Amino acid sequence: IDHKLLKRVPHDQVDNIEKQVKSKLREVEYDINALIKSYKEVKGARQEAFANELTPELISRYGRKTHLPGNVIFKIISCSLENMSN
C-alpha cells in the first residue's frame, strides 16, 4: 500500500472506498457461508449414498459410488473450499 498516495486522497473518496470494501466483504462472507451450508448438506447426502447399496440401475448408470452425482458435487465443493483456504 502506498501510504503517501493514500494521504493525498480526499477524505470523501476514502469514505466511499471504505463503504465499497465493506459491502464487498459482506458479499464475500455471504457467499462463503452459503458454500459452507451447501457443503454440509451435500456431505450428508454423500454419506447417506455411500451407506446404501447400489441398485443394478445405479450400477449400470454410474458404475460405482464415486461417480454418483452427490459425490461429484461434494468433491467440487470440497476443492473450492480448500482453494479458498489456501
Side-chain angles (χ1 to χ4, degrees):
I1 297 175
D2 186 348
H3 294 286
K4 291 179 183 178
L5 175 66
L6 287 176
K7 287 181 180 181
R8 293 194 306 256
V9 176
H11 288 288
D12 61 331
Q13 289 182 5
V14 172
D15 288 342
N16 188 35
I17 292 171
E18 182 180 7
K19 288 176 187 174
Q20 291 176 358
V21 169
K22 285 182 178 181
S23 174
K24 183 53 80 174
L25 179 60
R26 280 191 301 274
E27 181 182 327
V28 169
E29 287 172 341
Y30 176 83
D31 291 343
I32 289 170
N33 288 329
L35 188 58
I36 290 170
K37 181 180 177 191
S38 296
Y39 170 81
K40 290 177 181 177
E41 290 171 0
V42 172
K43 182 179 179 184
R46 177 183 183 254
Q47 289 172 338
E48 185 178 316
F50 272 82
N52 298 326
E53 291 295 320
L54 285 177
T55 63
E57 178 187 335
L58 289 175
I59 291 172
S60 67
R61 188 170 184 182
Y62 299 110
R64 55 188 181 185
K65 289 183 178 183
T66 56
H67 294 162
L68 290 171
N71 186 57
V72 173
I73 293 168
F74 173 80
K75 291 296 183 179
I76 291 170
I77 293 174
S78 294
C79 290
S80 296
L81 288 172
E82 286 175 16
N83 290 333
M84 287 180 4
S85 67
N86 290 335

